[in-house]
Amino acid sequence: MKHSKVGALMTSDVVRAEYGTPFKEVARLLAEHRISGLPVVDDDEKVLGVISETDLLTRQAGAPGPPEPHRRFHRPGWTPGSRALRAKARARTAGQLMSSPAITVHSDATVAEAARVMARHRVERLPVVDDEERLVGIVTRRDLLQVFLRPDPEIRSSVRNDVLVRALCLTPYSVDVDVHEGVVTLSGQLERRSECATAVEMCRQTDGVVAVVDHLTHRFDDSWRRPDEPAPEAITGNWLRRL
């Protein structure tokens, strides 16, 4: 199946900073381009880290407030998190201000893969890198949401061609495919129960699909068979594929 790649959705003209870029220049870049974050790169265009508006606010707010009462033998204010905040509060350059290591994604990753990375790390943007880990673009949550603007006829065509024909080797009209506002309804009869489950799952993974309504039926329930057990002769003729 074909999926939208990050490289097709990313912004190629990336606003970036270098390790030694002054704090005020970073603030100017964010304000001038109306963005909430940017990557920091080295001389070889490899991503060192990422700066967000939160990092700048930490610098402006100064050092954290007085530490809370501590237990005996516990040195106040010396947790890894507090040390990082203190360092950001004194930062003068992008390299001192950035969060690192940077969370990145490759340009050939799918939209679903990029979305999982964003959700796992709770970030709103990802620097996009090539095979040599060099910066080639940036992708945001808004960019990834573009797949849900895919027209219903295009989704329907993708389900027929990519799922039914190419993946399951069925005839194009062996299953009725209806798409409305991104919701795919599958109706018809397939040969095996496992094929129905596969068709539904692959439809869910199709770009732009919001949900799948399963009205499929089957001639043979193969859910009880062991994976290495051959199908009975009665169903090995692939009757749908001969239509």
Side-chain angles (χ1 to χ4, degrees):
M1 288 174 57
K2 296 179 180 179
H3 294 281
S4 295
K5 302 292 185 179
V6 168
L9 299 175
M10 70 182 186
T11 299
S12 300
D13 186 14
V14 186
V15 179
R16 83 279 308 273
E18 297 179 350
Y19 190 90
T21 301
F23 173 90
K24 283 197 172 183
E25 175 64 12
V26 173
R28 185 191 67 77
L29 288 171
L30 294 181
E32 181 179 313
H33 295 278
R34 298 182 180 181
I35 54 179
S36 59
L38 53 77
V40 180
V41 299
D42 62 14
D43 294 337
D44 198 31
E45 287 294 303
K46 293 186 177 179
V47 183
L48 301 174
V50 175
I51 295 176
S52 68
E53 290 175 328
T54 303
D55 296 321
L56 272 74
L57 290 175
T58 299
R59 170 65 179 84
Q60 288 298 91
E68 297 179 358
H70 55 282
R71 299 186 301 272
R72 188 180 181 185
F73 304 125
H74 176 72
R75 193 171 186 178
W78 281 92
T79 64
S82 66
R83 284 196 294 268
L85 286 175
R86 290 175 188 274
K88 287 182 184 293
R90 297 190 297 269
R92 295 184 179 182
T93 66
Q96 297 169 340
L97 191 64
M98 69 184 183
S99 298
S100 64
I103 307 301
T104 62
V105 66
H106 282 84
S107 58
D108 60 353
T110 66
V111 169
E113 291 168 341
R116 283 194 289 268
V117 173
M118 281 189 179
R120 187 183 311 122
H121 296 280
R122 297 180 180 180
V123 295
E124 296 181 359
R125 71 195 61 80
L126 291 172
V128 183
V129 297
D130 60 17
D131 292 338
E132 297 181 352
E133 304 299 323
R134 290 188 175 91
L135 181 68
V136 294
I138 196 162
V139 66
T140 66
R141 289 181 180 177
R142 182 174 297 179
D143 296 328
L144 299 186
L145 289 175
Q146 289 183 24
V147 297
F148 292 108
L149 301 178
R150 195 178 187 191
D152 288 343
E154 189 176 317
I155 295 174
R156 186 170 183 263
S157 177
S158 182
V159 169
R160 283 200 183 282
N161 297 326
D162 297 336
V163 176
L164 300 180
V165 177
R166 294 192 181 94
L168 295 178
C169 299
L170 301 174
T171 57
Y173 298 98
S174 56
V175 171
D176 182 54
V177 181
D178 180 68
V179 184
H180 180 68
E181 295 293 332
V183 178
V184 177
T185 300
L186 300 177
S187 306
Q189 187 179 61
L190 295 182
E191 188 173 353
R192 294 183 289 273
R193 181 175 181 178
S194 59
E195 283 185 327
C196 297
T198 300
V200 170
E201 183 58 32
M202 294 187 75
C203 281
R204 288 196 180 106
Q205 297 176 20
T206 299
D207 290 339
V209 171
V210 175
V212 178
V213 179
D214 179 14
H215 289 164
L216 293 173
T217 61
H218 51 274
R219 294 181 67 234
F220 175 74
D221 186 354
D222 58 347
S223 60
W224 55 268
R225 290 194 304 111
R226 298 189 304 271
D228 58 343
E229 183 177 347
E233 287 186 13
I235 65 163
T236 56
N238 295 329
W239 62 283
L240 276 175
R241 294 166 176 78
R242 295 202 304 268
L243 296 179

